[in-house]
Amino acid sequence: MLVWCIKRQIALANAKNLIPGLTCFSSPLTRSAGMSSMAEKKDVDKDKPITRVLFCGPHFPASQIYTREYLEKYPFIQVDDVPLKQVPDHIGNYDLCVSKNMLFDSNVLSRAKQMKLIMQFGVGLEGIDIDAATKHGIKVARIPGDATGNAASCAEMAIYLTLGLLRKQNEMQISVKQKMLGEPIGETLLGKTVFIMGFGNIGIDLAKRLKPFDVKIIATKRSWPSNSEVLIPKAFPTQNGVLDDLVDEKGSHGDIYEFASKADIVVCCLSMNKETVGILNKPFISSMKKGALLVNIARGGLLDYEAVVQHLESGHLGGLGIDVAWKEPFDPNDPVLKFKNVILTPHVAGVTEHSYRSMAKVVGDVALQLHAGKPLKGIELVN
């Protein structure tokens, strides 16, 4: 790695418009054997100016670490990361930007003079003003979750949070510390009704994994295919390529209150937009069964904080499992953590070795495609 780092610095020294203070990075993480193969070098013009890739902020660090590792044999691709507050000052020098949790408004985008593409290391694009990006001639894209294992990772986290609430994870830790055996008495998934709110890639992966628990699955989706069959990702081949038998009852967005009243567990898998912000509010939680569990692995902005706290205090909400929060990074002193029936994880639902290596490969390949002037593949453009 040291030799490569020296070679890269020599290459960068010959490039124009270098960014001061942004240095070569050597990853402390080891490479996964399954993702160690590099993209092919052929058809890439190494005589072109360096193509610069910017990762925004310090959070989700494996995203830039794994991308650097994937591109380490290509000194003509420069990968940097800068603090969120410094992004506006540096963004004008980059061709490709990975947004993570950076907010891109018209002002920031106006400074991206040579930017060709802003993409997410995942699927969520709610922090990007897509209309403003289009106005400034910048493409915006996400990485499809079904192709990288991101959706599967999120589905597994939803099950983890659900089981943690059912088996009273926090109270079990108290029993361990108090040297108590046989307490607490938990619940089982067996026979429960699970409401999957938003039946996209994550919802499908979740339903596929929940079915062996012998649960009833009800789900809402803004619009279902006319033939009532749900197309299944390639990762889950079944007869005729459909999952029509996976959902016991289907509904539309207008049925969310009715479905909430039937469910023992509500799992929110919605994307966040103007219509869904704060959708898990007082009317919705009030419509849930008394004692039902609420799990959110989508976006923190879908939750109405005051409504959640109120229903936890009253006992109407039986438990809350969240991987995303109303404010991130999460405040470790937030009063919501006083409840034994609350489980919080630090926005890691999609952060697994498999999904992050896969997404780093997508970002690396897109950088190589940009450098070569080729069509962009492996991403979903939204403008």
Side-chain angles (χ1 to χ4, degrees), residues 121-193:
F121 202 85
V123 296
L125 298 173
E126 63 276 357
I128 303 171
D129 186 334
I130 297 175
D131 290 337
T134 303
K135 179 181 177 181
H136 291 288
I138 303 170
K139 291 293 184 182
V140 179
R142 59 167 60 93
I143 301 176
D146 59 332
T148 61
N150 183 61
S153 299
C154 291
E156 290 176 4
M157 178 60 78
I159 294 175
Y160 166 81
L161 292 170
T162 299
L163 290 173
L165 292 173
L166 287 170
R167 303 309 295 266
K168 302 182 180 179
Q169 175 179 303
N170 293 333
E171 293 178 52
M172 284 194 287
Q173 293 302 312
I174 293 173
S175 291
V176 170
K177 293 177 181 179
Q178 296 178 347
K179 298 183 179 181
M180 296 292 294
L181 300 178
E183 295 182 13
I185 299 175
E187 290 282 351
T188 178
L189 257 177
L190 177 67
K192 296 292 192 294
T193 297

